[in-house]
Amino acid sequence: MDGLPQTMELEQAPASREAVWQRTLKAPIDCVGVGVHSGARVQMTIHPAGPDSGIVFHRTDLDRTLPARFDNVVDTRLCTVLGVPGDPTLRVGTVEHLMAALAAKGIDNALVTLDGPEVPILDGSAAPILFLLDCAGAVEQAVPRRGIEILQPVRVSDGAAFAELRPNRFGPCGLGMAMSIDFAAAAIGRQAYELQLSEASFRHELAGARTFAMAEEVEQLRAMGLARGGSLDNALVVEGARVLNPGGLRMEGEFVRHKLLDAVGDLALAGQPLHGRFVAHRSGHALNNKLLRALFADRSAWRPLPAPPALAAA
Ligand SMILES: [Zn+2]
């Protein structure tokens, strides 16, 4: 574990947990953009939804619905894709940046309608989605927010890469996150980053970090008919020690910050906020999803968060 990040332990127990209500959007909001892999032009509208409905996708072109849950993930090779095994038509790709922004904004319930197979990539980060959600506004729903408390460590790995969820020493007090990456390309190299997830930390430290690819991979993907909507406008492209985007990086550590952004979105597919610590090295969509599957397969490793005492007594 030398040199790998360890999420910060809170130095003292947090103040007693207050009632936190579920939230949805105040009004619908929409946008149009291209899917980075399909190249398809997609219109997306994010609508308010009732308490306990969670985040649900609806393909208006197919009139089919898919709940945003880890056990509906069918592909993780390039992005996180929701679908139904054996039904290649019903797919919703690249959900991770949208899921991350919704989770960070504390939006528990929303219906996301799409007229195509993929969430628009926009600028490759979560910042434009956060802006949309800010414009829509949020309302509380008078039903307590649920949550999942990690009780025992759960770890998945693939060679040197791993992802782990651990309990918080002081009980349910949100999600601490730490990620490290190690790329041969000198423009990236070794990077590590950690934070306690909140709307503010997500907004200021992760939301603007863009997705990235190696120049040689982009060529391969194009040859396979993928990354059709990809461009220097929606992804960082790296060639050895060089970042090919004319404007360069937006921030120091943009690469590892984007990996954390992806993890926020992938872990949001738990369906409820996680309370614990996420520690990962070179983890991507596949390991993040494998981690949630391992967590929920081990009933002793987690429990539903009990209602705060004030609510339980009410
Ligand atoms: Zn991403």
Side-chain angles (χ1 to χ4, degrees), residues 36-118:
V36 68
H37 299 297
S38 61
R41 175 190 174 282
V42 177
Q43 161 138 19
M44 174 173 80
T45 307
I46 314 169
H47 305 262
D52 289 331
S53 53
I55 309 298
V56 175
F57 288 91
H58 182 75
R59 284 277 301 267
T60 56
D61 53 330
L62 306 173
D63 195 20
R64 301 276 302 276
T65 294
L66 264 175
R69 287 182 47 87
F70 70 95
D71 47 1
N72 283 334
V73 170
V74 292
D75 193 347
T76 53
R77 284 169 298 176
L78 298 169
C79 59
T80 296
V81 181
L82 300 173
V84 174
D87 182 351
T89 314
L90 182 57
R91 291 280 187 274
V92 177
T94 321
V95 298
E96 56 271 17
H97 306 161
L98 171 63
M99 290 304 299
L102 287 165
K105 285 283 290 182
I107 302 294
D108 303 279
N109 305 303
L111 174 68
V112 183
T113 58
L114 298 159
D115 64 359
E118 206 178 343

Side-chain angles (χ1 to χ4, degrees), residues 103-180:
K105 285 283 290 182
I107 302 294
D108 303 279
N109 305 303
L111 174 68
V112 183
T113 58
L114 298 159
D115 64 359
E118 206 178 343
V119 173
I121 189 67
L122 304 174
D123 74 348
S125 80
I129 303 171
L130 207 51
F131 174 74
L132 287 175
L133 298 178
D134 288 343
C135 292
V139 288
E140 293 188 335
Q141 298 184 287
V143 175
R145 173 171 294 157
R146 300 170 193 283
I148 292 156
E149 182 181 0
I150 308 300
L151 299 177
Q152 288 179 30
V154 175
R155 180 186 174 101
V156 294
S157 60
D158 178 10
F162 71 85
E164 188 170 324
L165 281 164
R166 303 175 186 168
N168 264 327
R169 193 169 8 141
F170 295 113
C173 46
L175 187 65
M177 303 183 77
M179 172 75 75
S180 56

Side-chain angles (χ1 to χ4, degrees), residues 96-97 211 258 262 285:
E96 56 271 17
H97 306 161
T211 192
H258 187 83
D262 280 342
H285 303 306

